[in-house]
């Protein structure tokens, strides 16, 4: 298991660590991250049967130089590992596709933020979006065809519903998560 291997890896780091994602006690991503904190020059490749939602970004944050799916051409593994040792990052095509999708989708919405945003009316979302674009209150009112007083009321509701101290905090913390 990864935890029992950790002390050995910390004492004697390899030039290249090849770790499975699903390991007992500690997963391969956590193992790589722990070893890379004390040995940042070590190269690391994660292998897995899974290409789940969180895998590509979590692997990159851990400092991997490669992330490969086990079913992808086992015969090519030695050449891929040599490429990593030569300084090239190597990722399976499906993992790169998933990473690209994640990056284009924007930041993931934390569950608490999702819960708070679900409370907003469509009009409150429009007001929050408009202010996030830097529009002044009068222009927001004109754009949405409502009075400035109604805009102010929506701002007050947003502060209460989102549990923030000010409307500007609401814009700063939540506008980026609006669809």
């Amino acid at each position: 298991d990864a935890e029992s291997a950790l002390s050995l890896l910390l004492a004697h780091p390899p030039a290249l660590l090849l770790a499975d994602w699903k390991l007992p006690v500690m997963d391969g991503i956590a193992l790589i991250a722990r070893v890379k904190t004390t040995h940042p020059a070590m190269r690391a490749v994660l292998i897995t049967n899974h290409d789940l939602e969180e895998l590509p970004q979590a692997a990159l944050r851990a400092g991997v130089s490669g992330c490969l799916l086990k079913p992808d051409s086992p015969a090519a593994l030695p050449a891929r590992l040599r490429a990593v040792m030569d300084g090239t990052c190597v990722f399976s095509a499906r993992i790169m596709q998933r990473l690209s999708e994640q990056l284009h989708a924007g930041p993931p919405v934390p569950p608490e933020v999702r819960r708070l945003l679900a409370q907003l009316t469509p009009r409150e979302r429009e007001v929050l979006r408009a202010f996030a674009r830097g529009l002044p209150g009068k222009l927001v009112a004109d754009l949405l065809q409502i009075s400035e007083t109604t805009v102010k009321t929506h701002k007050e509701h947003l502060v209460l519903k989102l549990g923030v101290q000010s409307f500007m905090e609401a814009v700063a913390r939540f506008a980026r998560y609006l669809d």
Side-chain angles (χ1 to χ4, degrees), residues 25-126:
V25 185
M26 176 190 314
D27 69 38
I29 293 173
L31 176 67
I32 290 168
R34 295 270 304 272
V35 176
K36 295 246 340 151
T37 58
T38 54
H39 303 289
M42 180 192 73
R43 304 268 185 214
V45 174
L46 187 72
I47 58 171
T48 183
N49 276 326
H50 312 278
D51 57 338
L52 301 176
E53 295 285 320
E54 69 277 3
L55 176 63
Q57 288 187 26
L60 287 174
R61 281 191 296 275
V64 302
S65 302
C67 191
L68 303 171
L69 293 173
K70 289 179 186 177
D72 290 354
S73 183
L77 183 61
R80 289 178 173 180
L81 295 178
R82 280 191 297 279
V84 167
M85 290 305 298
D86 290 338
T88 301
C89 289
V90 179
F91 288 81
S92 292
R94 283 188 8 221
I95 291 174
M96 284 303 296
Q97 177 63 39
R98 184 65 198 133
L99 181 60
S100 175
E101 290 166 2
Q102 289 174 347
L103 293 175
H104 286 91
V109 182
E112 178 62 13
V113 170
R114 187 177 294 116
R115 185 187 67 74
L116 291 169
L117 291 176
Q119 301 175 64
L120 304 182
T121 66
R123 182 62 85 181
E124 289 165 342
R125 287 172 169 269
E126 289 176 316

Side-chain angles (χ1 to χ4, degrees), residues 136-152:
K138 178 159 179 29
L139 191 53
V140 172
D142 292 345
L143 180 70
L144 300 178
Q145 299 178 335
I146 56 179
S147 71
E148 285 184 76
T149 303
T150 302
V151 170
K152 288 178 186 175

